């Protein structure tokens, strides 16, 4: 069984920074893509950023230049460094992973439980 556990959320003032972490555990053969999504109250879940096993990244336009995604393959962990935070960044942040449980097996998608980020003065 695979678990994704996020940490690092909290309350921060506008202009501040937070660093989110998400660690994947369980019987995992390989992780192809790791990503961060967010969902604000009354809105749909949206992509924030994702990173491939080779290190290629993609970020939403709304966070480019402010957020940076990175990963530590040895630790099966993905990070989201969030700088210059704005009130509109307030949301529950979820990590996900597209991974293989066995060599040559199908890729599966897993989600974490989410961590709250609140940007407010």
């Amino acid at each position: 069984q695979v678990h994704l556990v996020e940490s690092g959320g909290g309350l921060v003032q506008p202009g501040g920074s937070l660093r989110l972490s998400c660690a994947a555990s369980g019987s995992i053969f390989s992780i192809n893509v790791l990503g961060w999504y967010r969902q604000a109250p009354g809105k749909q879940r949206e992509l924030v950023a994702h990173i491939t096993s080779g290190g290629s990244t993609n970020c939403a336009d709304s966070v480019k230049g402010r957020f940076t995604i990175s990963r530590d393959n040895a630790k099966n962990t993905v990070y989201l460094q969030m700088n210059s935070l704005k009130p509109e960044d307030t949301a529950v942040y979820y990590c996900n992973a597209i991974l293989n449980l066995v060599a040559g097996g199908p890729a599966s998608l897993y989600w974490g439980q989410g961590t709250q980020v609140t940007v407010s003065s």
Side-chain angles (χ1 to χ4, degrees), residues 27-86:
S27 181
I28 299 169
F29 175 73
S30 64
I31 301 178
N32 304 320
V33 181
L34 288 162
W36 288 98
Y37 285 70
R38 66 186 181 186
Q39 187 166 18
K43 295 187 176 181
Q44 290 188 331
R45 191 173 296 188
E46 62 176 4
L47 172 69
V48 176
H50 70 243
I51 183 168
T52 69
S53 57
S56 297
T57 62
N58 183 47
C59 290
D61 288 342
S62 59
V63 305
K64 281 182 180 177
R66 301 188 298 122
F67 291 10
T68 302
I69 189 170
S70 61
R71 65 189 282 173
D72 185 332
N73 290 330
K75 296 181 179 180
N76 284 344
T77 299
V78 61
Y79 305 96
L80 186 68
Q81 178 66 45
M82 305 185 295
N83 299 327
S84 302
L85 282 160
K86 305 175 181 180

